[in-house]
Amino acid sequence: MSTAKRKKLLTGPILLSAVKDSFVKLNPVTLLKNPVMFVVEIGTIIVLLMVLAPGYFHAEQSMGFNITVFCILLFTVLFANFAEALAEGRGKAQADSLKKTKQDITANKLVGTAIKTVSSSELRKGDIVVVSQGELIPGDGEVIEGLASVDESAITGESAPVIKEAGGDFGSVTGGTRVVSDEIKVRITSDPGESFLDRMISLVEGAKRQKTPNEIALNTLLISLTIIFLIVVVTLRPIAGYLGIALDIPVMIALLVCLIPTTIGGLLSAIGIAGMDRVTQFNVLAMSGKAVEAAGDINTMILDKTGTITFGNRMASEFVPVGQETEVDLTAWAAISSLKDETPEGRSVIELAKKLERSYDSSLGDGGEFVEFKAETRMSGIDLRDGRSVRKGAVDSVKKWVLSKGGQIPGDLDSRSDDIARLGGTPLAVAVDNRIYGLIYLKDTVKPGMKERFEELRQMGIKTIMCTGDNPLTAATIAREAGVDDFIAESTPEDKIEVIRREQAQGKLVAMTGDGTNDAPALAQADVGLAMNSGTTAAKEAANMVDLDSDPSKIIEVVAIGKQLLMTRGALTTFSIANDIAKYFAIIPAMFTLAIPEMEVLNVMGLGSPSSAIISALIFNAIIIPLLIPLAMRGVSYKPMSSSRLLGRNLFIYGFGGVVVPFVGIKLIDMVVSIWI
Amino acid sequence: MGTLQMVVVILILLLLVKPVGTYVYHVFSGEPNRTDKWFGRTENGIYRLIGLKQREGMSWKKYALSFILTNIVLVAFSYIILRVQRGLPLNPNGTSDMEQTLTFNTVISFMTNTNLQHYSGETGLSYFSQMAVITMMMFTSAASGFSVAIAFVRGITGRESVGNFFEDFVKAHVRIFLPLALLVTLILVGLHVPQTLKPTLEVTTLEGQAQHIAIGPVASLESIKHLGTNGGGFFGANSAHPFENPSPLTNVLEILSMWMLPAALPYTYGMFAKNKRQGWVIFTAMMTLFVLLLGLNYYAETRGNPAINALGIESSQGSMEGKEVRFGIPQSSLFTTVTTAATTGSVNNMHDTLTPLGEITPLALMMLNNVFGGKGVGLINMLMYAIMGVFLCGLMVGRTPEFLGRKIEAREMKLIAIAILIHPLIILVPTAGAFLTELGKGSITNPGFHGMTQVLYEYVSSAANNGSGFEGLADNTSFWNITTGIVMLLGRYVSVIAMLAVAGSLLRKNTVPETTGTFRTDNGLFTGILIGTVLIIGALTFLPVIVLGPVAEYLTLR
């Protein structure tokens, strides 16, 4: 989904259907899933009965008050339902747009050698289909023959087509995507209803949403707080009765609703859904909420060097002159040799020369003849019009070439080139006819910003381990440059599993990314496995998250989203519970002042009258839910920092804030309410 | 002067925390140490006698079961003795058998370390019952609670198992309670507390009247009464009685006896956790709440009773009603605060006559039941709040909350939910129930707000296994005997078993290594969080009843 499309998702229709859903969700059977709000609903119904049959309850005198209480309570439930419906609505809208992709597709099934046209819904695992240019791929599968470019924008939102070919790690295709060129044979790997698209739809729809372990634990706490306050309020009636204080049922219900954690109770499921949604918007598909939560707990992250930490291709990083030559000359000739070289290495030489602000006469190359790199010569270069030949290439080859032209080999060439090789770089020698000017130091470059990212991870307490097939020396160089904590050189897929097991044995949670089939076991072993959408089906099956953009460094953002999800939950719970102090001070004096006038001293907020105090507290309790919906949906802001600073900050905002805000809020509401009461 | 008296006692306590805590750690750590030499032989003798050859670690279930079964056996034994005490030896005063419901209440009261006394020791018990039931249970119930607390600590700090109940039980007796009780008894005897098996003295007063002066083996009971945070007095007047607590010196000794072990346990816990700061965090939170509530009581009592002040009666001493002149306000305030914090329940002044605001101190301490607390239960409860605090605030650092390196998940929260629910449930429900029946209401001797506090106090004291009486309530009726009996039972066993299950569950978990992303529980910030959690979750629950009782009484007292 493109950014534009994503933003549009929160539109009028979604709001409208959320409003509708908040009424549908009033059904007590649905609401039973949320015990806190269920208690509020029961209270609402009791007050409604008192409004409808005042004679039976002897509540004729307090009709106006009861109707007000009923309305506020009803809105409290509606607001909570609205929060959930809104969070779900965004998912549903995404699912709908995906469903459009999932029409019935005609498939060309290969039966023996003949091609039979069938509907995609008739395809079963193991069937083979032929897909030609312009056709939709009828189901998930592996390319077994051919090569084609495929437009996967329906799934990833990325418009540039990707190449899919038989064998290797780029063989998996997704149903519903379109072949834009050539023809491929695909072996179907999923039965109808179980395809990637189906799973994606059900995930974003939230249909199969299960409560995550942390949500269950938190819910337990909320339920027990609700029961405690239920006990407090129910037992208060006979106790106050002994003292000759009559407590009206609506007042008791008001006290109960204010004390039980309705704020977090109303927003809890919205926070969970929105957290998943944020991951989806990030174009990462999490197979379960549990995986997102686990991401927040990650202690160790295993990252492939190539493609994740580095660009993967070797780029010029330094010009090393040899013998008597100067760097200026070397740079000029290196650049000239690369003028017509379109390989990434060649372009990087020009880039580096530009970066070093070296000037050279590029017109020298005009009209020259480009000599392409060949496996036999292992050199490339240019033959200039003035007859001179410029070459760059493997040191041995260039040496041979220069010697054949009768040149001299500078004494320090070998030692210099060995130095570069030892550091994991690739030395390229640059020569003009019989004269060697020096070396280009090619190295694998760390992506910009990675060092800072790893520093952030370290602050979050996450250890990073880099896996690479390089020799230990090269690995150490890149590791130092990127700032990872540890590395495994010459690693095999088995090594990765080994490392994951070792870390897990120490009680750590491990995240990793992977794309190849041989990554699958490690992805399955890891607590959070992020597979690339471009990767094999096996890898995607084994992982618990799939990145549709195939950007392995995204795992870092996923961790941040996981943390943010947990933080939002914690922050709103703390806020909700801290609110109780102010609510007590609003309602307790209001309940007892009529019978015990001296209780007025407890009315520290100076609220207008007992009725206005109770109503103000209830209104505050209700409107805080919609006011916090944006926060619940967006998540609390998260910047990587040490846990103590993070805690101090959040505790101040949501803990201290949770104590103070309701005092102010209730007072303000009371000033308005007092005008009428 | 008054403040200084209290400060000195607190300072002595602070000096005792480290040595006593270290000693307790060595008793239970299982690592070889010097104390083995002194007590090893006695213990091995006992192990041989009871056939405890293999003392391997138990599962939490087995530990809990051993704890309960041991308690059941002791309850049955005690019940029989009290019911037939008349015919048993050592009954020089011819005390008759105890009534059924009163026996039920008494036996539970002492087994649960509550020591709520609906009987009067002078007339209700024979010397044999005092020794074989009351004093025996004072040892065994304290040792039971201590063992369970140690087991819980072993569980959450990740020892190989929660330990072996019988071994802990024996060690708690042999290495802690018996030697300390012996020492304190001798000192008390030296300070003129009676210790004799002679019958009640009959003396003729100067006016020629015959007077009966009750005596008996007081000092031996007095020592374990405080060391084991039991609180059941030899005499009805408890530690206000001049034979139980003759002087300010014995008063300080008794305060320290009951306070020392509960205050040292957090330190022991810190040693088990291999991070003493963890222990100090718990201790600091406890001490902060303690000092706040002590201050409230002292302030209220020194200000005196406004109704009496209004009569123009000299009241520079503060409210001395129900207090002993030999102790004065500071020694009474401190005793009241310590006895309800450490859930001992002995009293050296009548809590019924505390000023309304002063009443809040004992009530609040028992409602929290975690400010030091008796026989280990206080530590367990405080750690339960610590786990809750970790759960709430730990989320705010963006990780699944973990305590001492173990994740707090749904199972632990469910068990903690049980433990946290049971306390308000068994206080508020019976209190409300008592007001619905004449059986309950009829016992109130001082109607109005104070009467409401009388009833509340009775159940709070039972639920917290404190046992101090607000007195003034006519509580030796079947209604009170049975209801408080049930409350004491639930108050003791439900939370202890739930928390042992938490320990068992945490023990099975992998430890998560500590990183900079870990939520720290050994710093000042966490002390604040802990106090906040205790106040918001523990105290707010009881705010309405406190407002209707002491606060209303205070506001209306003119």
Side-chain angles (χ1 to χ4, degrees):
Chain A
M1 253 127 282
S2 67
T3 324
K5 217 156 129 202
R6 228 179 277 154
K7 286 224 175 86
K8 247 193 325 188
L9 280 171
L10 195 67
T11 51
I14 294 183
L15 284 173
L16 207 67
S17 86
V19 170
K20 210 177 78 198
D21 277 353
S22 24
F23 283 93
V24 175
K25 281 170 187 277
L26 282 177
N27 180 354
V29 182
T30 327
L31 214 56
L32 205 54
K33 275 189 296 185
N34 186 345
V36 179
M37 291 326 285
F38 181 73
V39 169
V40 180
E41 183 165 51
I42 297 290
T44 317
I45 294 170
I46 295 173
V47 181
L48 177 66
L49 290 177
M50 296 185 73
V51 170
L52 294 178
Y56 182 78
F57 293 93
H58 310 291
E60 292 91 342
Q61 262 90 44
S62 42
M63 255 324 242
F65 179 77
N66 290 356
I67 291 173
T68 319
V69 170
F70 165 73
C71 291
I72 305 170
L73 290 179
L74 181 65
F75 271 99
T76 312
V77 184
L78 285 176
F79 285 150
N81 288 347
F82 178 73
E84 193 181 79
L86 197 62
E88 284 171 354
R90 286 166 59 154
K92 276 201 192 112
Q94 280 177 332
D96 287 344
S97 76
L98 282 173
K99 274 182 192 155
K100 284 187 199 124
T101 319
K102 197 187 162 291
Q103 322 118 350
D104 208 24
I105 301 165
T106 2
N108 302 314
K109 186 175 160 187
L110 201 65
V111 185
T113 49
I115 286 180
K116 202 175 141 200
T117 309
V118 296
S119 152
S120 63
S121 58
E122 288 167 38
L123 289 175
R124 292 291 178 275
K125 224 183 245 181
D127 286 350
I128 292 168
V129 293
V130 178
V131 194
S132 315
Q133 185 169 347
E135 289 177 350
L136 287 171
I137 298 171
D140 293 359
E142 295 272 358
V143 179
I144 51 171
E145 205 180 300
L147 177 152
S149 56
V150 178
D151 172 11
E152 294 197 318
S153 59
I155 308 273
T156 64
E158 177 60 56
S159 54
V162 287
I163 303 290
K164 296 287 179 184
E165 59 181 326
D169 287 344
F170 298 97
S172 87
V173 288
T174 312
T177 55
R178 187 179 298 275
V179 172
V180 277
S181 74
D182 306 293
E183 184 181 280
I184 43 174
K185 259 186 209 163
V186 174
R187 187 195 296 118
I188 299 296
T189 52
S190 69
D191 286 331
E194 293 166 10
S195 73
F196 188 64
L197 201 62
D198 289 318
R199 269 193 297 164
M200 191 162 164
I201 290 170
S202 79
L203 276 169
V204 292
E205 229 175 8
K208 276 200 258 167
R209 206 179 92 82
Q210 284 176 331
K211 285 201 174 113
T212 60
N214 176 262
E215 224 176 330
I216 294 170
L218 185 56
N219 224 7
T220 312
L221 179 71
L222 298 183
I223 293 172
S224 47
L225 286 176
T226 307
I227 298 175
I228 287 178
F229 287 120
L230 202 60
I231 297 171
V232 168
V233 172
V234 170
T235 55
L236 197 56
R237 198 171 150 95
I239 296 174
Y242 165 74
L243 299 169
I245 304 169
L247 294 178
D248 289 336
I249 289 171
V251 173
M252 289 172 59
I253 291 172
L255 177 65
L256 176 66
V257 170
C258 282
L259 293 181
I260 60 177
T262 46
T263 313
I264 180 68
L267 294 171
L268 190 58
S269 58
I271 295 170
I273 299 168
M276 286 283 283
D277 193 43
R278 275 201 299 282
V279 176
T280 317
Q281 283 183 48
F282 211 65
N283 258 359
V284 172
L285 207 58
M287 299 302 164
S288 69
K290 198 176 163 184
V292 180
E293 238 169 47
D297 281 348
I298 289 303
N299 301 91
T300 306
M301 204 180 265
I302 294 175
L303 298 163
D304 276 325
K305 186 200 80 174
T306 313
T308 309
I309 298 174
T310 64
F311 284 108
N313 33 26
R314 315 199 140 219
M315 305 229 249
S317 72
E318 204 183 330
F319 296 112
V320 183
V322 292
Q324 308 297 314
E325 308 301 340
T326 63
E327 202 205 329
V328 180
D329 289 344
L330 170 63
T331 309
W333 287 117
I336 290 164
S337 75
S338 310
L339 278 176
K340 297 199 171 168
D341 187 352
E342 288 304 317
T343 61
E345 286 89 350
R347 267 178 291 170
S348 76
V349 171
I350 309 270
E351 289 282 313
L352 181 66
K354 217 180 273 172
K355 210 173 96 191
L356 294 171
E357 292 174 353
R358 293 284 144 75
S359 57
Y360 55 89
D361 186 2
S362 62
S363 64
L364 271 175
D366 291 348
E369 198 185 325
F370 179 60
V371 180
E372 231 177 298
F373 178 88
K374 284 202 187 85
E376 306 90 72
T377 59
R378 295 171 68 211
M379 289 187 298
S380 67
I382 193 165
D383 289 332
L384 302 179
R385 264 185 315 177
D386 60 9
R388 283 188 286 182
S389 311
V390 190
R391 290 290 182 276
K392 70 166 194 285
V395 178
D396 287 347
S397 313
V398 174
K399 258 160 70 177
K400 244 181 252 161
W401 184 73
V402 168
L403 285 173
S404 73
K405 295 203 166 219
Q408 293 285 313
I409 306 297
D412 58 350
L413 178 73
D414 282 341
S415 65
R416 292 287 165 120
S417 81
D418 284 352
D419 284 348
I420 293 172
R422 210 173 308 123
L423 289 174
T426 308
L428 287 186
V430 178
V432 180
D433 291 333
N434 59 358
R435 189 165 165 196
I436 293 186
Y437 280 86
L439 298 162
I440 304 173
Y441 180 176
L442 284 185
K443 76 174 180 195
D444 201 355
T445 329
V446 175
K447 287 183 180 175
M450 288 312 275
K451 204 179 165 93
E452 291 73 26
R453 300 289 279 283
F454 293 135
E455 183 51 41
E456 283 174 14
L457 287 174
R458 214 177 342 271
Q459 279 177 17
M460 288 149 74
I462 296 172
K463 178 178 160 191
T464 41
I465 300 179
M466 180 183 85
C467 281
T468 170
D470 292 341
N471 65 54
L473 207 67
T474 315
T477 313
I478 296 282
R480 199 172 335 108
E481 241 172 77
V484 293
D485 298 306
D486 204 353
F487 66 88
I488 311 161
E490 287 160 0
S491 80
T492 60
E494 291 73 42
D495 285 344
K496 277 190 194 170
I497 302 185
E498 190 51 43
V499 175
I500 295 174
R501 292 220 174 105
R502 197 185 67 209
E503 294 285 311
Q504 283 174 337
Q506 294 169 23
K508 297 182 184 173
L509 261 62
V510 185
M512 75 162 280
T513 56
D515 48 11
T517 303
N518 52 17
D519 281 334
L523 281 169
Q525 178 73 36
D527 300 282
V528 174
L530 177 67
M532 300 299 107
N533 191 40
S534 59
T536 60
T537 314
K540 284 195 266 182
E541 294 271 325
N544 44 19
M545 287 188 207
V546 177
D547 177 18
L548 301 175
D549 296 339
S550 304
D551 170 7
S553 62
K554 254 194 202 169
I555 184 88
I556 300 174
E557 271 85 9
V558 173
V559 168
I561 293 176
K563 284 191 177 298
Q564 205 188 20
L565 172 68
L566 293 172
M567 276 166 51
T568 310
R569 238 180 242 154
L572 290 182
T573 308
T574 309
F575 183 84
S576 188
I577 294 173
N579 274 196
D580 276 4
I581 299 176
K583 292 175 189 167
Y584 257 131
F585 275 99
I587 297 188
I588 294 275
M591 285 174 103
F592 303 137
T593 305
L594 277 185
I596 314 166
E598 291 87 350
M599 284 282 174
E600 185 59 27
V601 295
L602 292 183
N603 183 5
V604 289
M605 284 178 267
L607 302 178
S609 69
S611 309
S612 81
I614 291 167
I615 286 175
S616 306
L618 266 185
I619 292 179
F620 176 83
N621 194 55
I623 59 163
I624 196 73
I625 297 176
L627 287 181
L628 288 174
I629 288 177
L631 184 69
M633 303 277 267
R634 205 182 52 231
V636 302
S637 72
Y638 172 64
K639 285 190 209 84
M641 56 174 94
S642 76
S643 66
S644 359
R645 280 184 55 207
L646 200 59
L647 178 67
R649 203 185 76 130
N650 286 336
L651 205 57
F652 178 76
I653 300 176
Y654 300 100
F656 182 69
V659 174
V660 175
V661 167
F663 274 104
V664 179
I666 293 175
K667 177 70 191 166
L668 289 178
I669 296 170
D670 179 72
M671 285 158 78
V672 179
V673 172
S674 299
I675 299 171
W676 288 283
I677 301 175
Chain B
M1 241 342 253
T3 322
L4 190 68
Q5 284 187 48
M6 298 188 289
V7 169
V8 167
V9 179
I10 293 174
L11 284 179
I12 299 175
L13 177 92
L14 288 177
L15 291 177
L16 283 169
V17 165
K18 199 174 159 181
V20 176
T22 312
Y23 178 76
V24 173
Y25 173 76
H26 286 313
V27 170
F28 293 106
S29 69
E31 296 155 15
N33 64 79
R34 260 184 316 181
T35 53
D36 290 342
K37 208 162 52 193
W38 308 336
F39 302 108
R41 194 176 296 173
T42 322
E43 271 168 16
N44 286 330
I46 296 172
Y47 294 148
R48 259 199 302 279
L49 195 68
I50 59 175
L52 192 68
K53 283 179 200 117
Q54 301 291 316
R55 296 186 295 279
E56 76 276 14
M58 295 173 163
S59 67
W60 77 264
K61 281 184 190 148
K62 201 170 171 198
Y63 199 102
L65 199 67
S66 311
F67 159 66
I68 293 169
L69 283 178
T70 308
N71 280 201
I72 289 176
V73 169
L74 293 172
V75 160
F77 168 79
S78 304
Y79 185 86
I80 294 168
I81 291 192
L82 291 184
R83 294 285 288 142
V84 299
Q85 62 176 348
R86 188 189 176 131
L88 293 173
L90 283 177
N91 188 6
N93 297 330
T95 309
S96 51
D97 298 339
M98 200 180 257
E99 184 268 331
Q100 271 189 63
T101 60
L102 182 58
T103 314
F104 168 81
N105 185 280
T106 305
V107 170
I108 290 174
S109 166
F110 280 83
M111 192 69 258
T112 56
N113 202 275
T114 312
N115 298 21
L116 189 74
Q117 292 168 293
H118 286 177
Y119 64 90
S120 197
E122 298 94 323
T123 53
L125 292 175
S126 69
Y127 287 171
F128 183 73
S129 299
Q130 288 274 22
M131 292 191 290
V133 175
I134 303 301
T135 314
M136 176 277 285
M137 278 196 159
M138 284 186 169
F139 276 99
T140 50
S141 67
S144 300
F146 222 74
S147 304
V148 171
I150 295 291
F152 178 73
V153 167
R154 284 196 192 108
I156 63 169
T157 55
R159 296 291 160 131
E160 50 278 20
S161 80
V162 293
N164 182 302
F165 174 76
F166 299 110
E167 188 184 4
D168 290 343
F169 189 67
V170 169
K171 278 183 161 178
H173 278 107
V174 174
R175 301 194 186 202
I176 296 175
F177 292 112
L178 284 169
L180 274 175
L182 186 67
L183 183 73
V184 174
T185 305
L186 291 176
I187 300 175
L188 284 174
V189 170
L191 294 169
H192 307 297
V193 176
Q195 176 72 12
T196 173
L197 289 177
K198 285 188 192 138
T200 301
L201 296 177
E202 280 189 44
V203 292
T204 312
T205 63
L206 289 174
E207 292 145 359
Q209 305 281 327
Q211 191 183 348
H212 298 271
I213 298 178
I215 50 167
V218 183
S220 59
L221 181 138
E222 202 63 19
S223 57
I224 189 61
K225 164 179 132 185
H226 288 113
L227 284 169
T229 67
N230 292 288
F234 194 94
F235 305 107
N238 211 302
S239 282
H241 193 289
F243 284 173
E244 286 205 23
N245 191 3
S247 64
L249 203 55
T250 55
N251 197 50
V252 170
L253 184 67
E254 288 179 10
I255 288 176
L256 289 173
S257 305
M258 61 177 149
W259 200 3
M260 177 177 77
L261 286 169
L265 265 184
Y267 188 83
T268 308
Y269 152 71
M271 288 185 77
F272 268 102
K274 298 207 166 60
N275 179 355
K276 287 177 192 147
R277 290 163 60 103
Q278 297 278 7
W280 286 118
V281 160
I282 301 287
F283 181 86
T284 313
M286 288 174 167
M287 196 47 125
T288 310
L289 289 166
F290 179 90
V291 170
L292 284 176
L293 288 164
L294 172 66
L296 173 69
N297 183 276
Y298 183 63
Y299 165 79
E301 295 309 311
T302 43
R303 274 200 6 171
N305 183 332
I308 291 178
N309 295 352
L311 293 173
I313 293 170
E314 202 279 331
S315 58
S316 59
Q317 281 198 66
S319 173
M320 282 301 288
E321 185 191 353
K323 295 190 179 63
E324 296 293 307
V325 177
R326 65 184 186 282
F327 302 133
I329 304 261
Q331 290 280 331
S332 300
S333 267
L334 188 61
F335 200 99
T336 293
T337 314
V338 173
T339 196
T340 44
T343 71
T344 307
S346 59
V347 290
N348 80 347
N349 66 96
M350 288 304 114
H351 292 180
D352 196 24
T353 52
L354 289 172
T355 57
L357 287 184
E359 283 163 11
I360 294 178
T361 295
L363 274 173
L365 284 166
M366 293 187 291
M367 284 163 172
L368 297 178
N369 199 15
N370 59 14
V371 180
F372 299 111
K375 67 274 153 179
V377 176
L379 177 69
I380 296 184
N381 282 336
M382 195 50 121
L383 287 170
M384 175 185 85
Y385 277 100
I387 296 176
M388 288 247 299
V390 162
F391 185 78
L392 287 173
C393 298
L395 277 176
M396 283 199 287
V397 302
R399 291 172 66 92
T400 302
E402 54 209 41
F403 185 60
L404 298 181
R406 286 174 184 77
K407 286 204 158 71
I408 309 299
E409 289 165 305
R411 184 179 152 78
E412 290 77 44
M413 283 317 288
K414 278 181 189 147
L415 291 164
I416 287 177
I418 295 173
I420 201 141
L421 265 174
I422 191 76
H423 200 54
L425 182 80
I426 60 176
I427 290 174
L428 295 174
V429 171
T431 304
F435 288 118
L436 291 174
T437 153
E438 210 41 53
L439 290 170
K441 266 195 281 191
S443 300
I444 296 169
T445 56
N446 195 340
F449 304 122
H450 193 79
M452 132 81 204
T453 314
Q454 286 184 332
V455 173
L456 178 68
Y457 194 102
E458 186 75 3
Y459 287 114
V460 170
S461 177
S462 306
N465 294 143
N466 178 285
S468 68
F470 206 46
E471 307 308 335
L473 190 72
D475 52 16
N476 185 13
T477 65
S478 302
F479 174 82
W480 290 104
N481 285 338
I482 293 169
T483 54
T484 54
I486 294 168
V487 168
M488 286 188 281
L489 268 183
L490 295 173
R492 171 78 160 182
Y493 296 101
V494 174
S495 64
V496 159
I497 292 165
M499 295 314 283
L500 270 180
V502 169
S505 165
L506 288 177
L507 199 56
R508 276 198 302 271
K509 295 194 179 191
N510 269 337
T511 344
V512 183
E514 193 174 294
T515 66
T516 52
T518 308
F519 175 76
R520 296 193 72 88
T521 55
D522 60 352
N523 55 19
L525 184 60
F526 188 68
T527 314
I529 290 174
L530 185 54
I531 295 172
T533 313
V534 168
L535 288 180
I536 291 188
I537 295 188
L540 276 189
T541 314
F542 296 106
L543 189 69
V545 283
I546 292 274
V547 165
L548 276 183
V551 173
E553 189 186 346
Y554 168 75
L555 291 173
T556 52
L557 192 64
R558 287 282 174 269

